[in-house]
Amino acid sequence: MNVELTRQVRELRETVARLHAELTRYGLVAWTAGNISARVPGQKLMVIKPSGVGYDDLSAETMVVCDLDGVLVEGDLAPSSDTAAHAYVYRAMPEVGGVVHTHSSYATAWAARGEPIPCQLTAQADEFGGEIPVGPFALIGGDDIGKGIVTTLAGHRSPAVLMRNHGVFTIGRDARAAVKAAVMCEDVARTAHLARALGAPAPIAQADIDALYHRYQNVYGQPHPAKETR
């Protein structure tokens, strides 16, 4: 790697390691489950969590670098067992700069039911632009999960998909945006579950969902580049 690429990869390794702490902070993962990756801009490379390593033991040095076929390029540890899925998403969706996978409890409960989360909250309309869809069941280890993610999200505004009987995958323009989507997905899933336990949640008209999504995506917050999160 040249000097500039080495610096870029080093910064991404630090960022991805640091972002994993957000998954534990928001209670989205247990033990060693879950992972974050980030595309190296302009390169056919990604930085991803190593397989089976506890969150307290993650650092820039433990992150690994793979190419977009999932082949290890740099690092001393084996990459995540979801590496092939992440790599497929990056190959198929060039606009994606970050991918997150969690087994967060409420969202994964919807995935276990094989049921999308209907859009009955303004916060969901803001962030996801409609329902959070369900993707097909696929075994871990190959790129079938990645294929399911890409196929399911085609035509959806949602940056999150509930993979049937598995868990949550989210995408974003960068790793931080994908983490935010994972946090918001679990928040929405929990509230939707509680609302259903109380009775029949009230629907939101599609025109209102569209208006809410447009406002949040294009008007809400501070002018770019200061715009961050809710």
Side-chain angles (χ1 to χ4, degrees), residues 153-182:
L153 290 183
H156 275 272
R157 293 184 291 206
S158 174
V161 55
L162 312 175
M163 294 301 287
R164 189 182 298 266
N165 302 107
H166 185 172
V168 182
F169 282 83
T170 60
I171 58 174
R173 64 184 180 277
D174 56 27
R176 179 179 173 81
V179 170
K180 180 191 176 188

Side-chain angles (χ1 to χ4, degrees), residues 95-186:
E95 72 278 13
V96 171
V99 178
V100 173
H101 172 47
T102 78
H103 300 156
S104 59
S105 299
Y106 284 88
T108 300
W110 288 83
R113 287 176 53 85
E115 184 176 356
I117 303 174
C119 189
Q120 297 160 338
L121 301 165
T122 59
Q124 184 173 342
D126 287 348
E127 196 73 41
F128 300 94
E131 73 172 19
I132 298 175
V134 172
F137 176 79
L139 293 175
I140 300 167
D143 61 10
D144 285 347
I145 291 174
K147 291 175 181 177
I149 294 166
V150 171
T151 300
T152 304
L153 290 183
H156 275 272
R157 293 184 291 206
S158 174
V161 55
L162 312 175
M163 294 301 287
R164 189 182 298 266
N165 302 107
H166 185 172
V168 182
F169 282 83
T170 60
I171 58 174
R173 64 184 180 277
D174 56 27
R176 179 179 173 81
V179 170
K180 180 191 176 188
V183 171
M184 297 303 294
C185 180
E186 179 65 3

Side-chain angles (χ1 to χ4, degrees), residues 183-197:
V183 171
M184 297 303 294
C185 180
E186 179 65 3
D187 184 64
V188 163
R190 180 172 54 248
T191 306
H193 168 79
L194 293 172
R196 180 175 286 189

